[in-house]
Amino acid sequence: QDLTIQRIQNTFAIDVYETHARIALLEGDLNEFNQCQTQLKELYLQHPNHPSEDEFMAYRLLYHVLLTTNEKSEGAAASEI
């Protein structure tokens, strides 16, 4: 959040958000991970070809699959009631 408020949008900010996102994943904090991903998506547009960009694209795809699967599961469970 401090990086956003101070409008720091350089490769250092990318490294900070990537580290924060990895820790959030390890802790199972998907909300925090998603916030980092949102910032990273914008930062990667400003700094293309960052070394970890492909890694975080894969995380973003897996996150989307997880959300889609959970929505389908919740819908199926609700229809069984």
Side-chain angles (χ1 to χ4, degrees):
Q1 190 177 32
D2 288 340
L3 295 171
T4 304
I5 291 170
Q6 296 176 30
R7 296 185 181 153
I8 298 172
Q9 299 177 335
N10 55 19
T11 56
F12 171 73
I14 293 174
D15 293 340
V16 170
Y17 280 114
E18 287 176 347
T19 300
H20 192 139
R22 288 183 184 109
I23 293 169
L25 282 175
L26 288 171
E27 296 298 321
D29 189 343
L30 294 179
N31 288 328
E32 194 67 28
F33 169 76
N34 189 45
Q35 289 178 21
C36 291
Q37 276 283 74
T38 300
Q39 293 299 321
L40 284 168
K41 186 177 176 183
E42 295 301 317
L43 289 167
Y44 289 146
L45 290 173
Q46 296 171 27
H47 304 279
N49 303 316
H50 191 272
S52 301
E53 188 173 359
D54 291 341
E55 173 189 354
F56 280 86
M57 173 61 79
Y59 292 150
R60 193 165 37 247
L61 290 170
L62 290 170
Y63 180 76
H64 177 74
V65 168
L66 176 70
L67 289 181
T68 304
T69 302
N70 282 346
E71 287 174 2
K72 289 179 182 177
S73 295
E74 289 173 2
S79 66
E80 292 175 5
I81 296 176

